[in-house]
Amino acid sequence: LFAQVPLTAPEGGAAWNLRIVAHALANEWDAAFSVCRDDSMWTWLLRRWQAGSDSVPLPEIPPSAVPALVENLQELLALLLQLEEFERYEQTLALLDALVGDEREKAFLLGSLYGRFGFWDLVIETLLPFAQDGGLDRERWRLLAKACQQKGLYEEAAAILLRLVQTDARKEEALADYLSLAGVYIAAGESQKAQAVLSLAQQLAQ
């Protein structure tokens, strides 16, 4: 996910990088290092995984390489979560700390990642500290509302969505938020409120 794919790699970039992960997760370290060659990021990460500690120094990262690394790192973190490799996931987070210095930006990345896999407790834990003073954008407010609904915090989820509906600038956004709000009320067993919200959504759609 970090390394530059050799022009001779017939399997393509994704498969070539995933081969490094497969060797590492099987503790086939020589094979993993052989595949990644001299890529500094992969070498650092493999050494960190192999040692199981944070004592491996991070190589210098050119600023121009950061955006691509962050994008690829998100996919690696997602893969590790999907494989339930939680220890290696925690070890890999150190690279995210190094690449993303802004705590708010990092919370947005992780909150979205946790939402993909239904880790709703972690979504709330990650996003809630930024819920004041305009710290969340509308996308993350919607994600926080969904997490609250999934955890049975219906009143909190409804409050978030009501606030969004009142400030939606686009008709499509308002309709989507009305439908989400109706879903919250249905999950909470408040059918009358859900019906009222659906009626408002129908009027808006006309």
Side-chain angles (χ1 to χ4, degrees), residues 9-73:
E11 70 270 49
W16 188 67
N17 283 293
L18 288 175
R19 194 147 50 93
I20 302 174
V21 176
H23 284 308
L25 297 184
N27 292 321
E28 298 169 352
W29 299 111
D30 290 341
F33 281 112
S34 176
V35 174
C36 79
R37 303 187 179 183
D38 297 325
D39 184 83
S40 59
M41 290 295 98
W42 262 122
T43 299
W44 173 84
L45 188 56
L46 289 174
R47 286 175 177 168
R48 185 179 179 85
W49 286 358
Q50 186 179 32
S53 71
D54 57 2
S55 60
V56 181
L58 186 69
E60 184 176 349
I61 303 171
S64 60
V66 170
L69 285 173
V70 171
E71 182 177 352
N72 291 331
L73 180 59

Side-chain angles (χ1 to χ4, degrees), residues 11-177:
E11 70 270 49
W16 188 67
N17 283 293
L18 288 175
R19 194 147 50 93
I20 302 174
V21 176
H23 284 308
L25 297 184
N27 292 321
E28 298 169 352
W29 299 111
D30 290 341
F33 281 112
S34 176
V35 174
C36 79
R37 303 187 179 183
D38 297 325
D39 184 83
S40 59
M41 290 295 98
W42 262 122
T43 299
W44 173 84
L45 188 56
L46 289 174
R47 286 175 177 168
R48 185 179 179 85
W49 286 358
Q50 186 179 32
S53 71
D54 57 2
S55 60
V56 181
L58 186 69
E60 184 176 349
I61 303 171
S64 60
V66 170
L69 285 173
V70 171
E71 182 177 352
N72 291 331
L73 180 59
Q74 291 178 75
E75 295 307 314
L76 175 59
L77 291 171
L79 175 64
L80 294 173
L81 285 178
Q82 188 175 9
L83 295 174
E84 298 184 355
E85 289 285 343
F86 299 120
E87 182 177 355
R88 294 211 167 101
Y89 173 85
E90 291 294 332
Q91 294 169 343
T92 308
L93 280 179
L95 183 54
L96 184 64
D97 293 336
L99 294 174
V100 182
D102 184 83
E103 292 299 320
R104 179 173 175 267
E105 181 182 355
K106 185 163 57 179
F108 282 13
L109 293 174
L110 290 176
S112 298
L113 180 64
Y114 296 144
R116 284 172 59 181
F117 293 94
F119 296 141
W120 303 116
D121 285 325
L122 290 176
V123 171
I124 295 172
E125 179 183 325
T126 302
L127 296 182
L128 195 59
F130 298 91
Q132 296 181 350
D133 302 323
L136 296 181
D137 60 13
R138 302 182 74 80
E139 180 182 349
R140 272 69 184 192
W141 274 118
R142 292 184 178 99
L143 178 58
L144 184 58
K146 184 176 182 180
C148 289
Q149 177 182 347
Q150 294 295 326
K151 296 304 297 181
L153 303 172
Y154 302 121
E155 185 176 346
E156 290 81 356
I160 293 171
L161 291 167
L162 281 168
R163 179 181 175 184
L164 289 173
V165 165
Q166 293 169 0
T167 56
D168 278 329
R170 295 169 51 221
K171 180 178 179 179
E172 294 79 6
E173 289 183 345
L175 282 172
D177 288 334

